[in-house]
């Protein structure tokens, strides 16, 4: 019997394994599929390669904003773009795979795991063999998968792709329909459009992006509706494969319309892979995966020595959060039933569109739901000096401040370089800094960061009035 069995070798599972073997050599990690992470293989890294190429192309095509006039036409090699994505993706994944290869052979098993009972899993291996393993504790780090309508997959076959498959394309498509208007959908749709792909985005509602502030949400929606072909409150009525393309029928403003595309990208969310584990064999109540009794503070499933980490069950499916969960939960495995709450980072979420979006600390919606008395320091980047110099003067920032203490509680951003601003604000929030604390820090001129000072000064004026 093992001390711990870890199921899944993504960011959370690998972090858990590295932490666990510091305490015991009697550890087993089971993984189905590649021994690398979602982030490196089909998520964070390949998407950023594609986005970087797309943004560079966009800057070239809009160089006249800086009084530059490149010779036309600009050549784009549709195959080499994807080759670069795949080459760098393989480089990133290889680093993880090499790490795994150095692990003891007896500590890892490739195969598909399912529970037999609360202490036993059965693993079906590629060659058909089945083996059972037992453990005192389990860490479930099985991650998530893109949600796909089964009917669409059956009808469209390889013409229906997800974010797990899009980076395997040999060349950029000519036409792409994107189902969804959230983080993944927007990042990939904008990148593909900037690389010359004809894009149509189908949004179930008028929600575009990931921000909750009414003013910023409106700004985001207006920008993307203007720059992307987004059909709000519209979903395909019917999809069918016709030879080497897909025909989508949909209703827009009461009119029946049709669209031909090379591929349909399903990007309407992800679902947990816990449904693969037969958790109901531990307890019949666990058949209802949407209402699993998972303690969000300890990560424990029910009263069992079983812990769920990473994207498998998280309101914040983010790489650094998954890695933290994996490392921290090991202590609860070894000390069961004496459990500790797992420390959490200050929330930090970034969307790599252009402009970027970010939410730091408590969002506008979260503060409203908690009925917290807060003020909003605002700045528009439309006339911000450095943004004008860069011809990136789009968007705005909101900083949320406790009305009574002046402590910064959170922020939402839709602006160039939001990924950097978000880190600065996150560190300030983690240290419980006040508006005055941060305004006393230097702000170099001219920089985009000066816009944050404008928002903080706006908050300070409101605090002084109060």
């Amino acid at each position: 019997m093992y001390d711990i069995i870890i199921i899944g070798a993504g960011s959370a599972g690998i972090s858990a394994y590295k932490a666990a073997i510091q305490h015991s050599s009697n550890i087993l990690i089971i993984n189905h599929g590649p021994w690398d992470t979602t982030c490196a293989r089909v998520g964070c890294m390949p998407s950023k390669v594609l986005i970087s190429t797309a943004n560079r192309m966009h800057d070239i095509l809009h160089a006249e904003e800086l009084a530059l006039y490149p010779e036309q036409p600009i050549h784009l090699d549709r195959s080499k773009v994807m080759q670069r994505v795949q080459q760098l993706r393989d480089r990133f994944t290889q680093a993880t795979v090499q790490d795994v290869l150095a692990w003891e052979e007896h500590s890892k098993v490739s195969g598909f795991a399912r529970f037999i009972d609360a202490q036993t899993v059965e693993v079906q291996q590629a060659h058909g063999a089945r083996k059972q393993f037992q453990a005192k504790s389990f860490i479930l780090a099985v991650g998530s998968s893109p949600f796909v309508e089964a009917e669409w997959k059956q009808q469209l076959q390889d013409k229906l792709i997800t974010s797990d498959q899009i980076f395997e394309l040999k060349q950029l498509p000519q036409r792409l329909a994107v189902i969804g208007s959230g983080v993944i959908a927007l990042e990939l749709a904008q990148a593909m459009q900037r690389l010359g792909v004809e894009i149509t985005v189908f949004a179930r509602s008028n929600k575009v992006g990931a921000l909750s502030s009414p003013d910023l949400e409106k700004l985001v929606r207006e920008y993307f509706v203007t720059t992307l072909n987004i059909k709000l409150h519209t979903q395909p009525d019917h999809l069918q494969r016709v030879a080497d393309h897909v025909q989508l029928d949909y209703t827009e403003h009461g009119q029946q319309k049709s669209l031909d595309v090379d591929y349909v990208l399903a990007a309407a969310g992800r679902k947990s892979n816990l449904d693969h584990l037969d958790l109901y064999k531990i307890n019949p109540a666990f058949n209802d995966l949407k209402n699993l009794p998972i303690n969000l503070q300890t990560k424990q499933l029910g009263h069992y020595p079983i812990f769920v980490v990473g994207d498998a069950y998280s309101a914040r499916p983010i790489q650094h959060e998954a890695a933290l969960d994996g490392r921290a939960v090991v202590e609860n495995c070894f000390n069961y039933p004496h459990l500790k709450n797992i420390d959490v980072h200050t929330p930090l979420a970034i969307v790599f569109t252009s402009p970027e979006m970010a939410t730091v600390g408590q969002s506008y919606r979260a503060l409203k739901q908690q009925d917290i008395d807060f003020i909003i320091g605002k700045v528009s980047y439309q006339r911000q000096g450095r943004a004008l110099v860069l011809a990136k003067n789009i968007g705005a920032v909101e900083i949320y401040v406790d009305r009574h203490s002046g402590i910064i509680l959170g922020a939402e951003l839709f602006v160039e370089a939001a990924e950097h601003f978000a880190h600065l604000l996150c560190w300030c929030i983690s240290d419980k800094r006040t508006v005055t604390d941060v305004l006393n820090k230097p702000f170099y001129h001219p920089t985009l960061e000066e816009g944050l000072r404008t928002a903080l000064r706006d908050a300070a004026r409101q605090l002084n009035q109060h």
Side-chain angles (χ1 to χ4, degrees):
M1 178 177 285
Y2 290 94
D3 289 330
I4 302 174
I5 289 179
I6 302 163
I7 304 177
S11 295
I14 289 174
S15 293
Y17 177 81
K18 289 180 176 180
I21 59 173
Q22 301 301 313
H23 303 278
S24 169
S25 60
N26 191 29
I27 306 295
L28 179 67
I29 183 167
I30 303 168
N31 186 62
H32 173 65
W35 285 79
D36 53 36
T37 67
T38 296
C39 174
R41 188 178 71 259
V42 295
C44 322
M45 300 310 292
S47 68
K48 301 314 168 286
V49 179
L50 187 72
I51 289 167
S52 296
T53 302
N55 289 346
R56 189 71 60 87
M57 187 68 180
H58 179 80
D59 288 343
I60 293 170
L61 294 175
H62 291 79
E64 71 276 3
E65 296 174 3
L66 298 170
L68 301 173
Y69 302 92
E71 292 185 9
Q72 299 291 336
I74 305 299
H75 176 65
L76 185 150
D77 190 313
R78 306 177 76 86
S79 297
K80 286 187 177 179
V81 167
M82 295 309 297
Q83 287 174 18
R84 180 172 184 267
V85 170
Q86 290 155 12
Q87 287 168 358
L88 279 175
R89 182 272 317 277
D90 292 345
R91 177 177 176 177
F92 299 136
T93 58
Q94 191 60 27
T96 303
V97 172
Q98 289 297 326
D99 198 13
V100 171
L101 288 174
W103 298 351
E104 297 289 344
E105 281 300 318
H106 63 79
S107 70
K108 56 191 176 184
V109 172
S110 292
F112 202 74
R114 289 187 173 90
F115 276 93
I116 301 299
D117 56 44
Q119 286 190 311
T120 312
V121 291
E122 181 178 79
V123 179
Q124 181 177 344
Q125 298 177 291
H127 48 76
R130 295 175 184 267
K131 297 181 68 175
Q132 291 190 2
F133 303 92
Q134 290 190 317
K136 299 172 185 176
S137 296
F138 289 86
I139 297 175
L140 310 185
V142 291
S144 63
S145 303
F147 173 77
V148 179
E149 293 281 358
E151 183 181 355
W152 291 0
K153 187 63 180 176
Q154 183 177 6
Q155 292 171 339
L156 306 183
Q157 300 175 7
D158 62 343
K159 290 297 179 178
L160 178 68
I161 58 175
T162 68
S163 57
D164 283 5
Q165 287 113 27
I166 193 168
F167 304 113
E168 299 300 329
L169 295 178
K170 298 301 181 186
Q171 64 178 18
L172 295 169
Q174 296 288 338
R175 301 159 299 174
L176 180 68
V178 179
I179 312 298
S181 58
V183 172
I184 295 172
L186 280 187
E187 285 185 351
L188 294 177
Q190 185 185 58
M192 284 290 183
Q193 186 199 54
R194 290 185 166 194
L195 291 168
V197 180
E198 186 179 322
I199 293 290
T200 306
V201 179
F202 291 89
R204 189 178 298 277
S205 65
N206 70 342
K207 174 71 173 175
V208 177
L211 303 183
S212 68
S213 157
D215 290 345
L216 290 180
E217 189 178 5
K218 182 173 182 288
L219 198 62
V220 169
R221 182 169 56 253
E222 289 174 348
Y223 175 78
F224 281 102
V225 166
T226 302
T227 59
L228 274 177
N229 181 21
I230 298 182
K231 300 188 180 298
L232 300 174
H233 296 287
T234 306
Q235 290 288 281
D237 300 322
H238 179 68
L239 299 91
Q240 64 176 338
R241 180 167 181 165
V242 181
D244 63 344
H245 66 274
V246 177
Q247 179 180 311
L248 294 89
D249 299 322
Y250 62 98
T251 305
E252 186 178 35
H253 307 305
Q255 296 184 339
Q256 296 293 319
K257 296 186 177 181
S258 183
L259 173 72
D260 285 341
V261 295
D262 298 318
Y263 294 94
V264 174
L265 171 63
R270 298 177 69 88
K271 64 180 183 66
S272 171
N273 290 332
L274 289 173
D275 60 350
H276 300 160
L277 296 179
D278 289 356
L279 295 179
Y280 66 90
K281 292 183 179 178
I282 300 170
N283 186 322
F286 296 170
N287 195 46
D288 183 5
L289 295 178
K290 292 183 179 179
N291 294 293
L292 287 174
I294 297 174
N295 185 310
L296 297 180
Q297 281 70 50
T298 64
K299 305 298 180 180
Q300 184 185 19
L301 174 61
H303 63 274
Y304 299 90
I306 299 173
F307 302 87
V308 184
V309 296
D311 295 4
Y313 194 90
S314 175
R316 290 152 57 180
I318 296 168
Q319 191 270 348
H320 69 269
E321 296 285 355
L324 174 65
D325 282 357
R327 289 193 300 271
V329 81
V330 168
E331 185 176 350
N332 281 344
C333 288
F334 282 117
N335 293 309
Y336 175 84
H338 305 292
L339 307 182
K340 291 184 178 180
N341 290 345
I342 293 173
D343 292 334
V344 295
H345 289 303
T346 298
L348 173 62
I350 300 169
V351 184
F352 291 88
T353 51
S354 181
E356 294 173 340
M357 287 175 259
T359 301
V360 192
Q362 299 195 68
S363 67
Y364 177 93
R365 180 184 295 117
L367 291 167
K368 282 292 188 181
Q369 288 173 344
Q370 297 171 74
D371 199 26
I372 292 175
D373 189 9
F374 69 101
I375 62 171
I376 307 174
K378 298 183 179 182
V379 59
S380 168
Y381 268 72
Q382 189 173 6
R383 295 192 179 95
Q384 203 271 340
R386 184 63 187 278
L388 283 166
V389 168
L390 296 171
K392 302 287 187 181
N393 54 316
I394 299 170
V397 173
E398 292 184 357
I399 300 177
Y400 309 128
V401 179
D402 185 278
R403 187 183 298 275
H404 304 285
S405 67
I407 292 174
I408 301 171
L409 302 174
E412 294 192 18
L413 308 92
F414 176 55
V415 70
E416 175 75 9
E419 62 180 291
H420 305 299
F421 300 166
H423 279 85
L424 294 175
L425 290 167
C426 185
W427 299 335
C428 291
I429 294 166
S430 297
D431 289 343
K432 301 189 185 315
R433 298 294 183 180
T434 66
V435 169
T436 302
D437 290 336
V438 183
L439 282 174
N440 284 333
K441 302 298 183 185
F443 288 81
Y444 204 89
H445 176 76
T447 61
L448 292 171
E449 283 79 0
E450 288 179 298
L452 296 183
R453 183 177 61 185
T454 302
L456 290 164
R457 283 176 171 172
D458 181 37
R461 283 192 294 270
Q462 297 176 61
L463 288 171
N464 290 335
Q465 291 170 4
H466 175 69

Short mmCIF file of all heavy atoms in Angstrom, two decimals, residues 108-125:
data_model
loop_
_atom_site.label_atom_id
_atom_site.label_comp_id
_atom_site.label_asym_id
_atom_site.label_seq_id
_atom_site.Cartn_x
_atom_site.Cartn_y
_atom_site.Cartn_z
N LYS A 108 5.89 5.65 -11.07
CA LYS A 108 4.97 6.23 -12.06
C LYS A 108 4.36 5.14 -12.93
O LYS A 108 5.02 4.15 -13.27
CB LYS A 108 5.69 7.27 -12.92
CG LYS A 108 6.92 6.73 -13.63
CD LYS A 108 7.76 7.84 -14.26
CE LYS A 108 9.03 7.27 -14.88
NZ LYS A 108 9.91 8.29 -15.42
N VAL A 109 3.10 5.32 -13.26
CA VAL A 109 2.36 4.36 -14.08
C VAL A 109 1.56 5.14 -15.12
O VAL A 109 0.88 6.11 -14.79
CB VAL A 109 1.40 3.51 -13.23
CG1 VAL A 109 0.50 2.66 -14.12
CG2 VAL A 109 2.19 2.63 -12.28
N SER A 110 1.63 4.71 -16.37
CA SER A 110 0.82 5.30 -17.43
C SER A 110 -0.45 4.47 -17.59
O SER A 110 -0.37 3.24 -17.71
CB SER A 110 1.59 5.33 -18.75
OG SER A 110 2.66 6.25 -18.69
N GLY A 111 -1.59 5.15 -17.58
CA GLY A 111 -2.84 4.43 -17.76
C GLY A 111 -4.03 5.22 -17.26
O GLY A 111 -3.88 6.32 -16.73
N PHE A 112 -5.17 4.62 -17.42
CA PHE A 112 -6.45 5.26 -17.11
C PHE A 112 -6.95 4.72 -15.78
O PHE A 112 -7.23 3.53 -15.66
CB PHE A 112 -7.44 4.92 -18.24
CG PHE A 112 -8.58 5.86 -18.35
CD1 PHE A 112 -8.41 7.13 -18.88
CD2 PHE A 112 -9.84 5.48 -17.93
CE1 PHE A 112 -9.48 7.99 -18.99
CE2 PHE A 112 -10.91 6.34 -18.04
CZ PHE A 112 -10.73 7.61 -18.57
N ALA A 113 -7.01 5.58 -14.75
CA ALA A 113 -7.34 5.14 -13.39
C ALA A 113 -8.83 5.31 -13.09
O ALA A 113 -9.43 6.33 -13.45
CB ALA A 113 -6.51 5.91 -12.38
N ARG A 114 -9.39 4.31 -12.40
CA ARG A 114 -10.76 4.39 -11.88
C ARG A 114 -10.77 3.80 -10.48
O ARG A 114 -10.07 2.84 -10.19
CB ARG A 114 -11.74 3.61 -12.77
CG ARG A 114 -12.01 4.24 -14.12
CD ARG A 114 -13.12 3.46 -14.84
NE ARG A 114 -13.54 4.10 -16.06
CZ ARG A 114 -13.01 3.88 -17.25
NH1 ARG A 114 -12.01 3.00 -17.36
NH2 ARG A 114 -13.45 4.51 -18.32
N PHE A 115 -11.61 4.38 -9.62
CA PHE A 115 -11.70 3.87 -8.25
C PHE A 115 -12.49 2.57 -8.20
O PHE A 115 -13.48 2.39 -8.92
CB PHE A 115 -12.37 4.91 -7.35
CG PHE A 115 -11.40 5.94 -6.81
CD1 PHE A 115 -11.21 7.14 -7.47
CD2 PHE A 115 -10.67 5.68 -5.66
CE1 PHE A 115 -10.32 8.08 -7.00
CE2 PHE A 115 -9.77 6.61 -5.17
CZ PHE A 115 -9.59 7.82 -5.84
N ILE A 116 -12.02 1.67 -7.37
CA ILE A 116 -12.74 0.44 -7.04
C ILE A 116 -13.44 0.63 -5.70
O ILE A 116 -14.58 0.23 -5.51
CB ILE A 116 -11.78 -0.76 -6.97
CG1 ILE A 116 -11.06 -0.95 -8.31
CG2 ILE A 116 -12.52 -2.03 -6.57
CD1 ILE A 116 -12.00 -1.24 -9.48
N ASP A 117 -12.72 1.24 -4.77
CA ASP A 117 -13.29 1.63 -3.47
C ASP A 117 -12.43 2.77 -2.95
O ASP A 117 -11.56 3.29 -3.66
CB ASP A 117 -13.35 0.45 -2.50
CG ASP A 117 -12.00 -0.21 -2.27
OD1 ASP A 117 -11.00 0.53 -2.10
OD2 ASP A 117 -11.93 -1.45 -2.25
N ALA A 118 -12.66 3.18 -1.71
CA ALA A 118 -11.99 4.37 -1.18
C ALA A 118 -10.49 4.22 -1.02
O ALA A 118 -9.76 5.21 -0.86
CB ALA A 118 -12.61 4.75 0.16
N GLN A 119 -9.98 3.00 -1.09
CA GLN A 119 -8.55 2.78 -0.94
C GLN A 119 -7.90 2.17 -2.17
O GLN A 119 -6.68 1.94 -2.18
CB GLN A 119 -8.27 1.87 0.26
CG GLN A 119 -8.44 2.54 1.62
CD GLN A 119 -7.91 1.67 2.75
OE1 GLN A 119 -8.21 0.49 2.83
NE2 GLN A 119 -7.09 2.26 3.61
N THR A 120 -8.69 1.91 -3.22
CA THR A 120 -8.18 1.13 -4.35
C THR A 120 -8.55 1.78 -5.68
O THR A 120 -9.69 2.19 -5.88
CB THR A 120 -8.76 -0.29 -4.33
OG1 THR A 120 -8.63 -0.85 -3.02
CG2 THR A 120 -8.06 -1.18 -5.34
N VAL A 121 -7.57 1.85 -6.57
CA VAL A 121 -7.84 2.24 -7.96
C VAL A 121 -7.37 1.13 -8.88
O VAL A 121 -6.42 0.40 -8.57
CB VAL A 121 -7.13 3.56 -8.34
CG1 VAL A 121 -7.75 4.74 -7.62
CG2 VAL A 121 -5.63 3.49 -8.12
N GLU A 122 -8.06 1.02 -10.00
CA GLU A 122 -7.64 0.09 -11.06
C GLU A 122 -7.16 0.92 -12.23
O GLU A 122 -7.81 1.88 -12.64
CB GLU A 122 -8.80 -0.80 -11.48
CG GLU A 122 -8.40 -1.81 -12.56
CD GLU A 122 -9.56 -2.72 -12.94
OE1 GLU A 122 -10.43 -2.26 -13.73
OE2 GLU A 122 -9.60 -3.86 -12.46
N VAL A 123 -6.02 0.55 -12.79
CA VAL A 123 -5.43 1.28 -13.91
C VAL A 123 -5.44 0.41 -15.15
O VAL A 123 -4.91 -0.70 -15.14
CB VAL A 123 -3.99 1.72 -13.59
CG1 VAL A 123 -3.38 2.45 -14.79
CG2 VAL A 123 -3.96 2.61 -12.35
N GLN A 124 -6.08 0.92 -16.19
CA GLN A 124 -6.07 0.24 -17.49
C GLN A 124 -4.94 0.83 -18.31
O GLN A 124 -4.94 2.02 -18.62
CB GLN A 124 -7.41 0.41 -18.21
CG GLN A 124 -7.44 -0.30 -19.56
CD GLN A 124 -8.79 -0.18 -20.24
OE1 GLN A 124 -9.78 0.18 -19.61
NE2 GLN A 124 -8.83 -0.47 -21.51
N GLN A 125 -3.99 -0.01 -18.68
CA GLN A 125 -2.82 0.46 -19.41
C GLN A 125 -3.03 0.31 -20.91
O GLN A 125 -3.97 -0.36 -21.37
CB GLN A 125 -1.58 -0.28 -18.93
CG GLN A 125 -1.30 -0.01 -17.44
CD GLN A 125 -0.12 -0.79 -16.91
OE1 GLN A 125 -0.17 -2.00 -16.77
NE2 GLN A 125 0.96 -0.07 -16.60
#
